[in-house]
Amino acid sequence: QIQLVESGGGVVQAGGSLSLSCTAVGFAYSTHCMAWFRQAPGQGREGVASVEVGGTIRYADSVKGRFTISRDNAKRTLVLQMNDLNSEDTAVYYCASGPLKECIGWQNQNYFGSWGKGTQVTVSS
C-alpha cells in the first residue's frame, strides 16, 4: 500500500524558514516523479515544485529562488526547504507521487495518483 507522510509544518514569522519532509513507503520510490503541492483556504491545489528521477527540478514562479526541493532515494524521502516565507505561502502542503520517472505536466494535480494527507504551514506577519 502506497503511503506518503508529510511532516515539518508549523507556524513561522514572515521572512522565516521551514523544512518539510515526506516519507514514502509501499512503492518503488526511486522510479517515480515526486512533487509538492499546496492548497490555501478557498483556493485550488497548486503545484509548488517537482523532481524527476533523473534529477530535473521545476518550480512554480511564485517560489523560485526561495524554495528548494530535493529527494533522497536511499532514505525514500522528499524535502522542501522553504526560505523567506510570506503570508501567501500559508497553505496545507501535500507530497505527491506521479506514475512515471518524468514529471510530465507536473503542475496538473491530476497527473499524480498518490498523495499524503498534508501538513499545515502558517506564515504570520
Side-chain angles (χ1 to χ4, degrees), residues 106-121:
W106 72 275
Q107 290 183 296
N108 181 351
Q109 62 173 319
N110 295 323
Y111 178 74
F112 296 87
S114 299
W115 295 83
K117 293 183 178 181
T119 185
Q120 176 71 48
V121 172

Side-chain angles (χ1 to χ4, degrees), residues 19-38:
S19 181
L20 306 182
S21 293
C22 170
T23 301
V25 296
F27 68 108
Y29 173 80
S30 64
T31 64
H32 290 260
C33 157
M34 297 296 297
W36 286 98
F37 279 73
R38 67 186 180 185

Side-chain angles (χ1 to χ4, degrees), residues 15-19 63 65-68 80-86 89:
S17 299
L18 273 178
S19 181
V63 306
R66 300 188 299 122
F67 290 12
T68 302
L80 185 69
Q81 175 64 41
M82 305 184 294
N83 298 327
D84 192 22
L85 288 160
N86 59 61
D89 297 317

Side-chain angles (χ1 to χ4, degrees), residues 33-66:
C33 157
M34 297 296 297
W36 286 98
F37 279 73
R38 67 186 180 185
Q39 187 166 16
Q43 298 187 22
R45 199 164 289 190
E46 172 193 24
V48 175
S50 68
V51 54
E52 298 186 347
V53 170
T56 298
I57 288 174
R58 299 176 178 89
Y59 295 99
D61 288 343
S62 58
V63 306
K64 281 180 182 176
R66 300 188 299 122

Side-chain angles (χ1 to χ4, degrees), residues 1-4 24-29 76:
Q1 180 180 359
I2 296 174
Q3 281 191 311
L4 299 172
V25 296
F27 68 108
Y29 173 80
R76 304 173 65 85

